Amino acid sequence: MSVSKGDTLPSSTLRELTENGPEQVSTDDIFKGRRVVLFAVPGAFTPTCSINHLPTYLENRDAILSRGVDEIAVVAVNDPFVMGGWAKATGGEGKLRYLSDADGAFTKTLGMEVDIPGPGLGMRSKRYSMLVENGKVKELNVEENPGEATVSAAATILGQL
């Protein structure tokens, strides 16, 4: 069963690359008492994610934050080193939070896993965006096709804020 608008996100542990190396971060710490935009991509460094999806959040970061959002985070089923490298490569370091769901546990808990065998990606996350307020999903935008980044792009979230 997939997460839906109105659901409370389950507690989970993700990782992010810091100056001290990979560190665990609790979803409770990310979402409780905060207003966060979270978007998920099938894979860091993949064409749609790097060219069409993530840039919309970097370009609209200030506009999103100016509407009462505390943080914007991206999550992918990639290891924290890949996510850290992607943050540097995209110029998003310090602007967005790059979260690793290396084993896909968070993604599976949300019911957002998808198998993408064609290009050799295997189990990944569906492409989506959500507005989370104090751990509760207020808006949810899921792409039908993982190769598209339209309904989950920053423009949609901006319209929902």
Side-chain angles (χ1 to χ4, degrees):
M1 184 169 142
S2 294
V3 68
S4 299
K5 191 173 171 178
D7 289 350
T8 298
L9 291 179
S11 293
S12 192
T13 301
L14 300 168
R15 293 186 187 273
E16 65 184 325
L17 190 62
T18 70
E19 294 175 358
N20 300 321
E23 292 187 5
Q24 290 186 348
V25 59
S26 163
T27 55
D28 292 340
D29 292 340
I30 296 168
F31 300 114
K32 295 250 169 142
R34 304 179 76 221
R35 194 169 190 224
V36 178
V37 168
L38 176 70
F39 68 102
V41 297
F45 291 106
T46 59
T48 302
C49 304
S50 294
I51 297 167
N52 299 330
H53 199 193
L54 184 124
T56 69
Y57 285 91
L58 288 172
E59 292 163 7
N60 290 285
R61 177 185 178 269
D62 293 342
I64 291 169
L65 295 177
S66 74
R67 296 188 185 179
V69 170
D70 297 303
E71 186 169 50
I72 303 167
V74 58
V75 63
V77 179
N78 287 113
D79 69 65
F81 296 102
V82 168
M83 294 302 284
W86 198 38
K88 288 179 184 172
T90 59
E93 196 172 32
K95 296 176 184 173
L96 305 179
R97 194 165 187 180
Y98 290 71
L99 301 170
S100 164
D101 183 22
D103 63 1
F106 177 68
T107 298
K108 289 175 187 172
T109 300
L110 297 181
M112 289 294 191
E113 72 273 10
V114 63
D115 188 22
I116 309 175
L121 296 178
M123 196 291 286
R124 297 296 177 121
S125 176
K126 291 180 182 178
R127 185 182 309 281
Y128 65 85
S129 64
M130 64 173 66
L131 173 63
V132 182
E133 292 182 9
N134 194 28
K136 192 173 203 173
V137 179
K138 292 294 184 179
E139 300 290 348
L140 178 62
N141 313 293
V142 182
E143 297 287 351
E144 293 293 322
N145 178 341
E148 293 181 12
T150 51
V151 301
S152 62
T156 302
I157 285 288
L158 269 170
Q160 293 169 330
L161 294 172

mmCIF file of all heavy atoms in Angstrom, residues 75-101:
data_model
loop_
_atom_site.group_PDB
_atom_site.id
_atom_site.type_symbol
_atom_site.label_atom_id
_atom_site.label_comp_id
_atom_site.label_asym_id
_atom_site.label_seq_id
_atom_site.Cartn_x
_atom_site.Cartn_y
_atom_site.Cartn_z
ATOM 1 N N VAL A 75 15.573 12.524 -1.843
ATOM 2 C CA VAL A 75 15.933 11.179 -1.389
ATOM 3 C C VAL A 75 16.000 10.258 -2.604
ATOM 4 O O VAL A 75 15.223 10.404 -3.547
ATOM 5 C CB VAL A 75 14.943 10.639 -0.332
ATOM 6 C CG1 VAL A 75 13.542 10.482 -0.900
ATOM 7 C CG2 VAL A 75 15.444 9.348 0.303
ATOM 8 N N ALA A 76 16.973 9.336 -2.558
ATOM 9 C CA ALA A 76 17.119 8.349 -3.624
ATOM 10 C C ALA A 76 17.650 7.054 -3.035
ATOM 11 O O ALA A 76 18.292 7.045 -1.991
ATOM 12 C CB ALA A 76 18.077 8.860 -4.702
ATOM 13 N N VAL A 77 17.382 5.969 -3.742
ATOM 14 C CA VAL A 77 17.923 4.667 -3.359
ATOM 15 C C VAL A 77 19.338 4.607 -3.946
ATOM 16 O O VAL A 77 19.588 3.985 -4.977
ATOM 17 C CB VAL A 77 17.026 3.513 -3.857
ATOM 18 C CG1 VAL A 77 17.624 2.167 -3.455
ATOM 19 C CG2 VAL A 77 15.614 3.645 -3.299
ATOM 20 N N ASN A 78 20.213 5.353 -3.316
ATOM 21 C CA ASN A 78 21.638 5.417 -3.630
ATOM 22 C C ASN A 78 22.378 5.500 -2.307
ATOM 23 O O ASN A 78 21.799 5.912 -1.303
ATOM 24 C CB ASN A 78 21.985 6.666 -4.452
ATOM 25 C CG ASN A 78 21.524 6.610 -5.890
ATOM 26 O OD1 ASN A 78 20.650 7.360 -6.289
ATOM 27 N ND2 ASN A 78 22.108 5.729 -6.682
ATOM 28 N N ASP A 79 23.664 5.176 -2.328
ATOM 29 C CA ASP A 79 24.433 5.258 -1.089
ATOM 30 C C ASP A 79 24.776 6.719 -0.774
ATOM 31 O O ASP A 79 24.669 7.594 -1.643
ATOM 32 C CB ASP A 79 25.684 4.373 -1.154
ATOM 33 C CG ASP A 79 26.720 4.881 -2.130
ATOM 34 O OD1 ASP A 79 27.288 5.970 -1.911
ATOM 35 O OD2 ASP A 79 26.984 4.173 -3.122
ATOM 36 N N PRO A 80 25.147 7.007 0.475
ATOM 37 C CA PRO A 80 25.403 8.397 0.868
ATOM 38 C C PRO A 80 26.571 9.038 0.126
ATOM 39 O O PRO A 80 26.586 10.257 -0.064
ATOM 40 C CB PRO A 80 25.663 8.324 2.366
ATOM 41 C CG PRO A 80 25.902 6.902 2.681
ATOM 42 C CD PRO A 80 25.260 6.097 1.611
ATOM 43 N N PHE A 81 27.547 8.249 -0.323
ATOM 44 C CA PHE A 81 28.668 8.810 -1.066
ATOM 45 C C PHE A 81 28.215 9.299 -2.437
ATOM 46 O O PHE A 81 28.632 10.365 -2.898
ATOM 47 C CB PHE A 81 29.794 7.777 -1.207
ATOM 48 C CG PHE A 81 30.391 7.394 0.117
ATOM 49 C CD1 PHE A 81 30.045 6.192 0.721
ATOM 50 C CD2 PHE A 81 31.273 8.252 0.776
ATOM 51 C CE1 PHE A 81 30.589 5.838 1.946
ATOM 52 C CE2 PHE A 81 31.816 7.901 2.011
ATOM 53 C CZ PHE A 81 31.470 6.700 2.597
ATOM 54 N N VAL A 82 27.337 8.541 -3.081
ATOM 55 C CA VAL A 82 26.778 8.956 -4.367
ATOM 56 C C VAL A 82 25.949 10.231 -4.176
ATOM 57 O O VAL A 82 26.072 11.181 -4.949
ATOM 58 C CB VAL A 82 25.936 7.828 -4.999
ATOM 59 C CG1 VAL A 82 25.107 8.340 -6.173
ATOM 60 C CG2 VAL A 82 26.830 6.688 -5.437
ATOM 61 N N MET A 83 25.132 10.260 -3.132
ATOM 62 C CA MET A 83 24.303 11.445 -2.896
ATOM 63 C C MET A 83 25.166 12.669 -2.590
ATOM 64 O O MET A 83 24.874 13.777 -3.051
ATOM 65 C CB MET A 83 23.302 11.178 -1.774
ATOM 66 C CG MET A 83 22.249 10.126 -2.121
ATOM 67 S SD MET A 83 21.267 10.509 -3.581
ATOM 68 C CE MET A 83 20.174 11.771 -2.911
ATOM 69 N N GLY A 84 26.242 12.478 -1.834
ATOM 70 C CA GLY A 84 27.156 13.584 -1.553
ATOM 71 C C GLY A 84 27.855 14.071 -2.810
ATOM 72 O O GLY A 84 28.019 15.279 -3.022
ATOM 73 N N GLY A 85 28.258 13.141 -3.662
ATOM 74 C CA GLY A 85 28.883 13.509 -4.933
ATOM 75 C C GLY A 85 27.909 14.241 -5.840
ATOM 76 O O GLY A 85 28.279 15.184 -6.543
ATOM 77 N N TRP A 86 26.650 13.814 -5.807
ATOM 78 C CA TRP A 86 25.619 14.459 -6.622
ATOM 79 C C TRP A 86 25.365 15.879 -6.121
ATOM 80 O O TRP A 86 25.173 16.796 -6.914
ATOM 81 C CB TRP A 86 24.356 13.600 -6.598
ATOM 82 C CG TRP A 86 23.368 13.876 -7.691
ATOM 83 C CD1 TRP A 86 23.644 14.181 -8.990
ATOM 84 C CD2 TRP A 86 21.955 13.839 -7.584
ATOM 85 N NE1 TRP A 86 22.472 14.330 -9.698
ATOM 86 C CE2 TRP A 86 21.422 14.129 -8.856
ATOM 87 C CE3 TRP A 86 21.077 13.569 -6.542
ATOM 88 C CZ2 TRP A 86 20.057 14.174 -9.107
ATOM 89 C CZ3 TRP A 86 19.720 13.606 -6.800
ATOM 90 C CH2 TRP A 86 19.219 13.910 -8.064
ATOM 91 N N ALA A 87 25.381 16.062 -4.810
ATOM 92 C CA ALA A 87 25.197 17.406 -4.240
ATOM 93 C C ALA A 87 26.277 18.350 -4.763
ATOM 94 O O ALA A 87 25.992 19.478 -5.174
ATOM 95 C CB ALA A 87 25.229 17.342 -2.713
ATOM 96 N N LYS A 88 27.520 17.895 -4.762
ATOM 97 C CA LYS A 88 28.627 18.727 -5.265
ATOM 98 C C LYS A 88 28.493 18.965 -6.764
ATOM 99 O O LYS A 88 28.656 20.087 -7.240
ATOM 100 C CB LYS A 88 29.958 18.059 -4.952
ATOM 101 C CG LYS A 88 30.319 18.114 -3.490
ATOM 102 C CD LYS A 88 31.634 17.423 -3.220
ATOM 103 C CE LYS A 88 31.894 17.430 -1.715
ATOM 104 N NZ LYS A 88 33.039 16.616 -1.352
ATOM 105 N N ALA A 89 28.213 17.909 -7.509
ATOM 106 C CA ALA A 89 28.145 18.005 -8.972
ATOM 107 C C ALA A 89 27.016 18.914 -9.452
ATOM 108 O O ALA A 89 27.138 19.545 -10.504
ATOM 109 C CB ALA A 89 27.983 16.614 -9.584
ATOM 110 N N THR A 90 25.930 18.992 -8.700
ATOM 111 C CA THR A 90 24.773 19.791 -9.121
ATOM 112 C C THR A 90 24.787 21.207 -8.556
ATOM 113 O O THR A 90 23.917 22.006 -8.878
ATOM 114 C CB THR A 90 23.457 19.119 -8.678
ATOM 115 O OG1 THR A 90 23.463 18.978 -7.254
ATOM 116 C CG2 THR A 90 23.276 17.771 -9.345
ATOM 117 N N GLY A 91 25.756 21.506 -7.696
ATOM 118 C CA GLY A 91 25.797 22.821 -7.063
ATOM 119 C C GLY A 91 24.759 22.968 -5.970
ATOM 120 O O GLY A 91 24.460 24.073 -5.534
ATOM 121 N N GLY A 92 24.221 21.857 -5.506
ATOM 122 C CA GLY A 92 23.164 21.903 -4.500
ATOM 123 C C GLY A 92 23.632 21.725 -3.076
ATOM 124 O O GLY A 92 22.830 21.781 -2.137
ATOM 125 N N GLU A 93 24.920 21.533 -2.885
ATOM 126 C CA GLU A 93 25.463 21.345 -1.543
ATOM 127 C C GLU A 93 25.159 22.570 -0.686
ATOM 128 O O GLU A 93 25.424 23.702 -1.081
ATOM 129 C CB GLU A 93 26.977 21.119 -1.656
ATOM 130 C CG GLU A 93 27.610 20.540 -0.447
ATOM 131 C CD GLU A 93 29.060 20.157 -0.704
ATOM 132 O OE1 GLU A 93 29.735 20.819 -1.521
ATOM 133 O OE2 GLU A 93 29.499 19.194 -0.081
ATOM 134 N N GLY A 94 24.528 22.340 0.458
ATOM 135 C CA GLY A 94 24.160 23.434 1.349
ATOM 136 C C GLY A 94 22.861 24.124 0.974
ATOM 137 O O GLY A 94 22.396 25.002 1.693
ATOM 138 N N LYS A 95 22.273 23.744 -0.152
ATOM 139 C CA LYS A 95 21.018 24.349 -0.599
ATOM 140 C C LYS A 95 19.843 23.393 -0.412
ATOM 141 O O LYS A 95 18.770 23.799 -0.008
ATOM 142 C CB LYS A 95 21.124 24.761 -2.065
ATOM 143 C CG LYS A 95 22.165 25.837 -2.301
ATOM 144 C CD LYS A 95 22.307 26.153 -3.761
ATOM 145 C CE LYS A 95 23.417 27.167 -3.960
ATOM 146 N NZ LYS A 95 23.690 27.372 -5.378
ATOM 147 N N LEU A 96 20.073 22.119 -0.766
ATOM 148 C CA LEU A 96 19.094 21.062 -0.578
ATOM 149 C C LEU A 96 19.735 20.016 0.321
ATOM 150 O O LEU A 96 20.953 19.923 0.409
ATOM 151 C CB LEU A 96 18.722 20.395 -1.910
ATOM 152 C CG LEU A 96 18.216 21.270 -3.044
ATOM 153 C CD1 LEU A 96 17.932 20.411 -4.270
ATOM 154 C CD2 LEU A 96 16.978 22.046 -2.644
ATOM 155 N N ARG A 97 18.916 19.208 0.938
ATOM 156 C CA ARG A 97 19.426 18.110 1.752
ATOM 157 C C ARG A 97 19.369 16.844 0.902
ATOM 158 O O ARG A 97 18.293 16.471 0.429
ATOM 159 C CB ARG A 97 18.578 17.974 3.005
ATOM 160 C CG ARG A 97 19.201 17.116 4.062
ATOM 161 C CD ARG A 97 18.492 17.323 5.366
ATOM 162 N NE ARG A 97 19.194 16.635 6.425
ATOM 163 C CZ ARG A 97 18.800 16.649 7.682
ATOM 164 N NH1 ARG A 97 17.714 17.322 8.033
ATOM 165 N NH2 ARG A 97 19.487 16.003 8.588
ATOM 166 N N TYR A 98 20.496 16.202 0.696
ATOM 167 C CA TYR A 98 20.605 15.009 -0.139
ATOM 168 C C TYR A 98 20.628 13.784 0.760
ATOM 169 O O TYR A 98 21.621 13.529 1.446
ATOM 170 C CB TYR A 98 21.873 15.074 -0.987
ATOM 171 C CG TYR A 98 21.824 16.113 -2.086
ATOM 172 C CD1 TYR A 98 21.884 17.477 -1.800
ATOM 173 C CD2 TYR A 98 21.709 15.731 -3.415
ATOM 174 C CE1 TYR A 98 21.839 18.431 -2.809
ATOM 175 C CE2 TYR A 98 21.664 16.675 -4.436
ATOM 176 C CZ TYR A 98 21.732 18.030 -4.124
ATOM 177 O OH TYR A 98 21.682 18.960 -5.129
ATOM 178 N N LEU A 99 19.528 13.035 0.763
ATOM 179 C CA LEU A 99 19.351 11.906 1.671
ATOM 180 C C LEU A 99 19.472 10.574 0.941
ATOM 181 O O LEU A 99 18.919 10.392 -0.147
ATOM 182 C CB LEU A 99 17.978 11.999 2.342
ATOM 183 C CG LEU A 99 17.731 13.267 3.159
ATOM 184 C CD1 LEU A 99 16.267 13.362 3.557
ATOM 185 C CD2 LEU A 99 18.645 13.288 4.383
ATOM 186 N N SER A 100 20.164 9.652 1.574
ATOM 187 C CA SER A 100 20.382 8.322 1.032
ATOM 188 C C SER A 100 19.451 7.317 1.690
ATOM 189 O O SER A 100 19.404 7.205 2.910
ATOM 190 C CB SER A 100 21.840 7.910 1.297
ATOM 191 O OG SER A 100 22.003 6.520 1.130
ATOM 192 N N ASP A 101 18.731 6.590 0.855
ATOM 193 C CA ASP A 101 17.918 5.444 1.291
ATOM 194 C C ASP A 101 18.555 4.211 0.650
ATOM 195 O O ASP A 101 17.945 3.542 -0.172
ATOM 196 C CB ASP A 101 16.466 5.648 0.847
ATOM 197 C CG ASP A 101 15.531 4.540 1.309
ATOM 198 O OD1 ASP A 101 15.859 3.850 2.292
ATOM 199 O OD2 ASP A 101 14.483 4.361 0.665
#
